[in-house]
Amino acid sequence: MARAATKTSAKPAPARAGTRPAKKTIPMLNDTPVLDIPKPEEFTKEQELSSFREMLLIRRFEEKAGQLYGMGFIGGFCHLYIGQEAVVIGMQMAMKEGDQVITGYRDHGHMLATGMDPRGVMAELTGRRSGYSRGKGGSMHMFSKEKNFFGGHGIVGAQVPLGTGIALANRYRGNDSVSLTYFGDGAANQGQVYESFNMASLWKLPVIYIIENNRYAMGTAVSRSSAETNFAHRGLSFKIPGVQVDGMDVRAVKAAGDMAVEWCRSGKGPIILEMQTYRYRGHSMSDPAKYRSKDEVQKMRSEHDPIEQVRKRLLDKKWASEDDLKAVDKEVRDIVADAADFAQSDPEPDPSELYTDILI
Amino acid sequence: MPTQILMPALSPTMEEGNLSKWVKKEGDKVAPGDVIAEIETDKATMEVEAVDEGTLGKILVEEGAQGVRVNTPIAILLADGESADDLGKDAVTPPPARAQAPAEVHADQQAEGFPRPAATPKAATQPMPSDPDIPEGTEMVEMTVREALRDAMAEEMRRDADVLIMGEEVAEYQGAYKVTQGLLQEFGAKRVIDTPITEHGFAGVGIGAAFAGLKPIVEFMTFNFAMQAMDQIVNSAAKTLYMAGGQMGAPIVFRGPNGAAARVAAQHSQDYAAWYSHIPGLKVVMPYTAADAKGLLKAAIRDPNPVIFLENEILYGQSFQVPKLDDFVLPIGKARIHKQGRDVTIVSFGIGMTYAIKAEEELRGMGIDVEIIDLRTIRPMDLDTVVESVKKTNRLVTIEEGFPQSSVGDHIASKVMQRAFDYLDAPIITIAGKDVPMPYAANLEKLALPSVVEVVEAVKAVTYRA
């Protein structure tokens, strides 16, 4: 049984959404709007360069976090975002000031994308006093009120009602901000997700449910955990429209993001974006990843890597030389090295912090 | 400079592993993500991936090596232009990083058997505030607990536009127990929100709205249904302020009837006072009188922390004197001495107070002068008032309807034993509900709850009158 399922899941699925002509595939069970998959637009040189740099920053940061974990500087659970960078960067390009972001525990990429300081994030990973949570949250629990980043939540799916509540606050205040609520294909099977879908649709709340389908809920392939593997359809019973997006192509993500924020801002209620993506590393640092083949990972890395796609376009269009891109990599590596040095030398929290921030 | 590849820690607890296989050989080119070796831990076989690009210059730990400590250099990676000749002696010296890493420090402390007391900071103790003085000549109005709760919400909603109420049947239906009667008419559907029957979901939605700065009151039709929402209440509402280093918290009130009503059996009759009082980051309030219900609910709505406000269906219809004041707010965390006495202290809260009050009348007839303390707030608990009373009476009985194991009374007994051991003239008796799911049959239900007789017997026992 498991063998057959694994076989099915081994087919490369992501990357097809963006290239396939838009098809109206949602069965007309009710009057849920049927949306076309937005066609990715060509990026300008500036967009290509900036998305290249921002995605590379996440990748280098995560590689460094993996190293520091191996050295014992980072403890507990540490979930790396490598492979999924195009999702947060593409969505960030579609957002505007005031929009909020909330996600689960694979959250380092989201924090860097919202502009949080790599030093503060890394110092939180090492449990030091200058970390975003003063060392009391760790990898899975970080927040930045300033950057409208609402965490960092360690319980699978719990961020979905919370993100819906943030959208309720937006509507209550009458502002036009949108809540970007990220969760994975694993969380998509939690009951509270559907409780949230129901309320968001009922009350027409401005929330984008971004399902990062990286094809494995920890070690369980989507086809082994989910009766309906088309996550864009998961809102059908609540009349929430959804589209599948090539989450490895930052341009496709941005195009879908543009459409979704416009949908929410114009008062149409919630929308679902299924980002078809892939994580290269294990679920967490302690995952031997025996549930998938090396070929599958290698194929994804060599054929669909979100950063390589941009690099290739930049070089093909002669918008940047190899040396230019090396310089970007150097700059990013320096930022990450600085963050890592800081996070290793920053002192641990003062013992008095044990009893602070429990109540206001 | 050549890069050392270190034995990685692959789980929070891993300290060493076996290097079972080298996948790459010396001289092989490696790219980030390439598997270079396989490591066996106590749990699984894991692959070591290269982080940097380069050439595998030298293997330092041979295939098959057992018990390789985490952070031991296992190989040297050469960058472009470097050769194996560049490998000086320095490059193979194991770095002391692991020994300096915080995780190791903690392990050392644990190894000593006991945490060092000096390293544990004391919890800050806050002085307990007092009830506001009620000006002489203030008119007292008789009102039910239900009306007091509604007035408290209405007053706070008039005062602060960020306050809203959400829950099942709070709006059109006017409240399942009519506590929200009239609020929809006054404040409209934007601020008085009927939710679907989805406790976990709407608790989370309320908490999210609180993170974003609103001050929601979430009504549970009963706290029995809030078990569905326990994860959001405990993990999201109570812990976020701490996990965010003080940046973000949840100014939210969860309220509704708690504990046994009448003949609703096991699933609808549970008292959660002890449950919620276990959680740092929550405040837990459980009033008895209408005045306390009003003053404390207003305080709860203004409190920037998540507050669990436990009401009782049987008390909703009971009437009490409430001071007629424009803004009657009581301090959370302060017990009220309901009646002063010399011979014995009874501590209770919420509906437990009804047993204490009836028992006191009987005991008075026997010449026993009882002091009754209404805790009002379970967390933070006003133990000072309890301890002061015990120092005077030297005897203590606690009453609650919740289950006996790890009860609120157990906690009080343990604290009083620590703080006033020399003052106690008798063992403390903790009266609680019986250790059984609530039965339906009228006679069994009565047996499962505390009774006035039990209280009278307990007081006689601790005063050696039995």
Side-chain angles (χ1 to χ4, degrees):
Chain A
M1 191 173 69
R3 202 164 24 127
T6 312
K7 217 170 169 182
T8 316
S9 70
K11 280 184 208 159
R16 74 189 141 92
T19 50
R20 195 176 50 175
K23 265 205 292 191
K24 300 193 175 189
T25 53
I26 300 178
M28 298 302 285
L29 297 173
N30 56 23
D31 53 358
T32 304
V34 179
L35 304 178
D36 289 334
I37 296 166
K39 204 172 152 5
E41 278 179 32
E42 290 299 316
F43 272 9
T44 63
K45 180 183 167 188
E46 286 67 35
Q47 286 174 318
E48 294 281 28
L49 276 170
S50 104
S51 65
F52 176 75
R53 183 190 174 281
E54 300 308 311
M55 290 195 287
L56 200 59
L57 176 66
I58 296 174
R59 174 136 332 161
R60 296 290 176 243
F61 184 95
E62 294 291 65
E63 287 167 354
K64 183 59 82 177
Q67 265 180 319
L68 292 183
Y69 189 92
M71 292 163 72
F73 280 104
I74 297 173
F77 297 123
C78 185
H79 309 86
L80 302 182
Y81 198 64
I82 295 172
Q84 301 180 213
E85 297 92 342
V87 177
V88 288
I89 295 305
M91 287 307 296
Q92 195 68 26
M93 292 172 85
M95 286 168 62
K96 74 169 192 189
E97 188 81 23
D99 292 341
Q100 301 103 336
V101 171
I102 188 168
T103 187
Y105 46 77
R106 197 177 305 286
D107 55 357
H108 311 164
H110 303 71
M111 295 188 277
L112 295 174
T114 59
M116 286 168 69
D117 179 8
R119 278 185 163 200
V121 178
M122 199 68 98
E124 189 60 39
L125 296 184
T126 56
R128 306 304 174 93
R129 64 177 57 179
S130 303
Y132 265 96
S133 299
R134 303 195 210 178
K136 297 197 279 192
S139 165
M140 301 182 285
H141 318 106
M142 262 184 267
F143 306 78
S144 170
K145 217 165 190 174
E146 183 205 350
K147 301 290 182 191
N148 271 324
F149 180 70
F150 284 75
H153 294 272
I155 305 296
V156 177
Q159 74 273 27
V160 182
L162 298 172
T164 307
I166 292 165
L168 178 87
N170 289 338
R171 211 202 51 164
Y172 189 89
R173 295 229 157 94
N175 61 32
D176 71 346
S177 296
V178 173
S179 165
L180 275 68
T181 300
Y182 290 87
F183 52 104
D185 48 279
N189 292 323
Q190 285 278 26
Q192 56 183 323
V193 168
Y194 299 92
E195 299 187 22
S196 303
F197 281 3
N198 185 40
M199 285 180 274
S201 183
L202 198 59
W203 301 333
K204 293 270 176 286
L205 301 180
V207 50
I208 307 175
Y209 295 113
I210 303 153
I211 304 178
E212 296 192 68
N213 177 3
N214 67 17
R215 301 173 54 188
Y216 295 92
M218 193 166 159
T220 306
V222 156
S223 54
R224 293 175 56 229
S225 64
S226 302
E228 170 57 273
T229 56
N230 183 332
F231 292 95
H233 287 184
R234 287 292 184 101
L236 262 180
S237 292
F238 308 96
K239 302 191 182 179
I240 302 176
V243 291
Q244 288 184 309
V245 182
D246 175 1
M248 303 302 271
D249 179 355
V250 67
R251 300 169 308 173
V253 174
K254 176 172 184 296
D258 285 339
M259 180 270 285
V261 290
E262 171 53 28
W263 179 271
C264 287
R265 281 202 227 289
S266 60
K268 295 191 179 118
I271 184 169
I272 293 169
L273 301 179
E274 178 195 340
M275 297 292 175
Q276 298 185 315
T277 183
Y278 199 77
R279 92 173 127 68
Y280 297 171
R281 296 296 192 91
H283 163 74
S284 69
M285 291 299 295
S286 45
D287 171 11
K290 298 292 184 201
Y291 44 82
R292 61 185 182 186
S293 72
K294 274 179 210 126
D295 288 351
E296 179 186 307
V297 182
Q298 205 42 52
K299 197 173 162 59
M300 204 48 85
R301 285 183 106 124
S302 54
E303 293 175 18
H304 299 286
D305 187 79
I307 300 173
E308 284 307 313
Q309 289 186 41
V310 182
R311 180 201 296 276
K312 187 169 182 308
R313 287 198 300 268
L314 280 165
L315 293 173
D316 287 352
K317 290 180 176 163
K318 305 219 182 316
W319 281 349
S321 67
E322 286 277 7
D323 283 347
D324 294 338
L325 298 183
K326 266 194 179 154
V328 174
D329 192 30
K330 168 87 170 57
E331 184 232 331
V332 162
R333 279 181 190 275
D334 288 347
I335 292 172
V336 168
D338 168 71
D341 289 345
F342 178 76
Q344 290 169 74
S345 57
D346 190 44
E348 288 187 282
D350 190 89
S352 66
E353 287 283 355
L354 183 62
Y355 286 111
T356 58
D357 307 321
I358 296 165
L359 295 171
I360 294 172
Chain B
M1 210 187 106
T3 311
Q4 290 183 343
I5 299 173
L6 306 179
M7 181 74 171
L10 298 165
S11 76
T13 49
M14 175 177 162
E15 288 180 2
E16 58 176 43
N18 304 332
L19 210 162
S20 44
K21 187 178 168 197
W22 279 105
V23 179
K24 297 278 181 187
K25 306 185 298 294
E26 286 183 7
D28 280 0
K29 289 262 180 216
V30 295
D34 282 359
V35 174
I36 54 172
E38 283 180 12
I39 286 173
E40 227 175 83
T41 70
D42 52 345
K43 295 195 189 109
T45 303
M46 317 269 294
E47 290 166 344
V48 182
E49 292 183 5
V51 177
D52 294 303
E53 196 173 283
T55 306
L56 195 62
K58 186 166 176 56
I59 285 173
L60 303 173
V61 174
E62 288 307 315
E63 194 167 290
Q66 307 269 317
V68 182
R69 297 287 297 176
V70 163
N71 257 11
T72 308
I74 54 173
I76 304 281
L77 192 70
L78 301 170
D80 278 358
E82 291 173 344
S83 81
D85 301 337
D86 296 336
L87 299 175
K89 198 170 182 313
D90 292 349
V92 294
T93 311
R98 183 73 189 183
Q100 289 167 356
E104 192 71 9
V105 175
H106 291 161
D108 286 344
Q109 285 176 352
Q110 280 163 6
E112 287 172 21
F114 277 96
R116 292 170 202 163
T120 308
K122 295 287 277 184
T125 49
Q126 286 174 337
M128 289 293 181
S130 307
D131 281 22
D133 290 332
I134 293 168
E136 214 168 309
T138 300
E139 188 189 342
M140 299 299 279
V141 188
E142 183 162 299
M143 71 168 59
T144 61
V145 171
R146 173 182 286 116
E147 291 162 341
L149 292 168
R150 185 203 54 208
D151 286 0
M153 287 189 283
E155 286 175 23
E156 292 307 299
M157 289 176 81
R158 283 175 209 131
R159 187 178 164 270
D160 185 345
D162 282 342
V163 178
L164 64 137
I165 173 144
M166 55 192 291
E168 294 154 8
E169 311 292 5
V170 297
E172 302 270 344
Y173 194 91
Q174 304 288 308
Y177 295 101
K178 298 286 177 283
V179 176
T180 54
Q181 192 144 31
L183 295 183
L184 173 68
Q185 284 65 28
E186 181 175 352
F187 300 103
K190 182 186 152 193
R191 299 182 66 192
V192 185
I193 304 168
D194 274 329
T195 65
I197 303 172
T198 54
E199 284 82 8
H200 197 187
F202 71 70
V205 167
I207 296 162
F211 286 167
L214 297 185
K215 296 164 187 164
I217 305 166
V218 171
E219 177 177 305
F220 290 116
M221 193 180 288
T222 107
F223 265 94
N224 293 284
F225 306 155
M227 281 241 256
Q228 297 258 11
M230 198 57 102
D231 174 67
Q232 287 289 358
I233 295 170
V234 174
N235 274 318
S236 301
K239 295 179 184 171
T240 293
L241 184 73
Y242 196 79
M243 297 191 303
Q247 273 192 75
M248 197 178 288
I252 191 167
V253 176
F254 296 101
R255 53 153 290 271
N258 165 64
R263 309 287 310 280
V264 289
Q267 291 179 339
H268 287 66
S269 301
Q270 198 164 324
D271 173 10
Y272 291 90
W275 281 55
Y276 290 110
S277 78
H278 191 60
I279 307 298
L282 292 179
K283 291 187 177 182
V284 184
V285 177
M286 189 157 161
Y288 164 58
T289 70
D292 287 349
K294 184 175 182 189
L296 288 168
L297 183 53
K298 281 166 68 81
I301 294 166
R302 291 182 198 184
D303 200 290
N305 301 290
V307 181
I308 306 289
F309 199 90
L310 302 169
E311 302 160 8
N312 186 282
E313 190 191 328
I314 292 164
L315 292 178
Y316 278 150
Q318 295 195 12
S319 293
F320 296 84
Q321 299 291 313
V322 179
K324 194 176 177 187
L325 290 170
D326 283 346
D327 198 18
F328 178 63
V329 184
L330 291 170
I332 292 175
K334 180 72 188 165
R336 179 175 58 83
I337 298 177
H338 184 82
K339 181 202 162 284
Q340 297 208 329
R342 287 174 290 115
D343 298 335
V344 59
T345 302
I346 294 181
V347 174
S348 191
F349 46 90
I351 195 163
M353 285 292 291
T354 58
Y355 305 102
I357 289 163
K358 283 183 194 140
E360 189 275 330
E361 286 165 16
E362 274 189 45
L363 291 160
R364 203 186 317 155
M366 299 175 203
I368 299 174
D369 187 14
V370 176
E371 177 146 305
I372 304 177
I373 294 175
D374 181 355
L375 269 188
R376 303 195 293 192
T377 302
I378 317 298
R379 184 185 185 94
M381 192 183 283
D382 184 3
L383 283 163
D384 289 348
T385 296
V386 177
V387 168
E388 280 315 301
S389 175
V390 169
K391 284 181 177 174
K392 180 173 69 175
T393 64
N394 313 113
R395 295 162 167 89
L396 176 62
V397 172
T398 67
I399 311 168
E400 68 200 288
E401 286 194 347
F403 295 131
Q405 184 166 331
S406 309
S407 64
V408 175
D410 279 6
H411 178 69
I412 295 170
S414 129
K415 289 292 172 188
V416 168
M417 187 269 289
Q418 290 165 27
R419 291 180 55 181
F421 185 73
D422 291 338
Y423 293 89
L424 286 170
D425 285 345
I428 298 162
I429 295 183
T430 56
I431 297 174
K434 305 304 177 293
D435 206 8
V436 297
M438 184 64 72
Y440 169 71
N443 64 327
L444 295 182
E445 184 186 59
K446 210 167 167 206
L447 287 170
L449 289 166
S451 68
V452 176
V453 173
E454 272 176 85
V455 178
V456 169
E457 289 307 312
V459 168
K460 282 163 71 180
V462 299
T463 53
Y464 303 108
R465 303 284 190 95

